[in-house]
Amino acid sequence: QAQLGVSGGGLVQVGDSRRLSCAASGRTYGNYAMAWVRQAPGKERVFVAAASRSGGIALYADSVKGRFTISRDNTKNAVALQMNVLKPEDTAVYYCAARAGGATRSGDDYDYWGQGTQVTVSS
């Protein structure tokens, strides 16, 4: 079972960059696809990005494609989300999630969740 610790949120300005980190524990970390999912105030949770177990496949929501990059380091049991050119609409609580099996674009497919970190993009 994966346990996930999330860090890196905060208050940033429009156009800034921010890097979120997720540290996973569990003996079979390499068997989990990892994802970032976000939830804006008053809105449903939405998929942001996912990485396959090997990290060789990355999936992105259209809204972040070209601006965000997901990466993972299986030697460190870690996954990161590099967010560039941040926009006010990126303001949300960001969650790290994991699932046994392949990466998908639906947050509902993920079984294990970190505690979330707030990212606020101020204009």
Side-chain angles (χ1 to χ4, degrees), residues 48-72:
V48 176
S52 63
R53 286 167 288 182
S54 68
I57 296 173
L59 306 175
Y60 296 96
D62 288 344
S63 59
V64 306
K65 199 173 294 182
R67 298 188 298 121
F68 290 12
T69 302
I70 187 171
S71 60
R72 65 185 293 167

Side-chain angles (χ1 to χ4, degrees), residues 66-88:
R67 298 188 298 121
F68 290 12
T69 302
I70 187 171
S71 60
R72 65 185 293 167
D73 184 343
N74 286 351
T75 66
K76 298 180 180 179
N77 285 358
V79 62
L81 184 68
Q82 177 66 41
M83 305 184 294
N84 298 328
V85 195
L86 282 161
K87 304 176 181 180

Side-chain angles (χ1 to χ4, degrees), residues 2-4 22-24 29 31-36 47 49-53 57 59 70-72 74 77-80 96-99 101-104 110 112:
Q3 295 180 331
L4 308 172
C22 175
Y29 170 75
N31 290 338
Y32 293 100
M34 303 297 296
W36 291 95
F47 168 81
S52 63
R53 286 167 288 182
I57 296 173
L59 306 175
I70 187 171
S71 60
R72 65 185 293 167
N74 286 351
N77 285 358
V79 62
C96 176
R99 70 184 298 267
T104 73
Y110 292 80
Y112 306 106

Side-chain angles (χ1 to χ4, degrees), residues 17-40:
S17 297
R18 195 78 173 186
R19 185 176 181 87
L20 305 181
S21 297
C22 175
S25 61
R27 292 178 295 169
T28 56
Y29 170 75
N31 290 338
Y32 293 100
M34 303 297 296
W36 291 95
V37 178
R38 68 187 182 188
Q39 186 168 21

